[in-house]
Amino acid sequence: MFRSITLPLLRPVTAVVLIISVVGSFQVFDTIAIATRGGPVNSSNVLQYYIYEAAFSRFQFGYASAMSVALLIVLMIITFLQYRLTRAGSSDLA
């Protein structure tokens, strides 16, 4: 009964939670910036901190904005794929 009724009805909610969790996992800038500043020999450097360093330490604003747009496109593709794979748009109510 759980697999046939409850789980299909929870599909849209599960998809939204999954998408928000994955997008939220990309938001680690503040922890890295405060705790390690990229760590010893860039061991804990993440893309968001690299973009920040490129823009405000090396003053390469064009390069940093291009990386930001590329990150946005990657996140949009991941979100679209998750939406399609979980079939979040279809409802099993009917």
Side-chain angles (χ1 to χ4, degrees):
M1 189 160 76
F2 177 75
R3 197 179 90 235
S4 300
I5 297 171
T6 307
L7 201 56
L9 290 175
L10 287 175
R11 184 182 303 140
V13 175
T14 307
V16 168
V17 168
L18 180 68
I19 290 170
I20 289 174
S21 297
V22 169
V23 171
S25 69
F26 279 87
Q27 298 176 350
V28 294
F29 171 78
D30 54 347
T31 305
I32 300 297
I34 292 172
T36 64
R37 294 189 186 256
V41 194
N42 293 327
S43 62
S44 65
N45 206 356
V46 292
L47 183 59
Q48 294 85 350
Y49 192 72
Y50 184 70
I51 291 170
Y52 173 78
E53 279 186 337
F56 300 112
S57 296
R58 297 188 306 255
F59 300 108
Q60 297 174 336
F61 296 110
Y63 181 60
S65 70
M67 286 190 296
S68 298
V69 170
L71 179 63
L72 172 69
I73 291 170
V74 167
L75 283 173
M76 287 174 55
I77 290 170
I78 290 171
T79 302
F80 177 75
L81 287 175
Q82 284 181 336
Y83 187 79
R84 290 296 244 175
L85 291 175
T86 57
R87 297 179 304 185
S90 64
S91 177
D92 292 338
L93 291 174

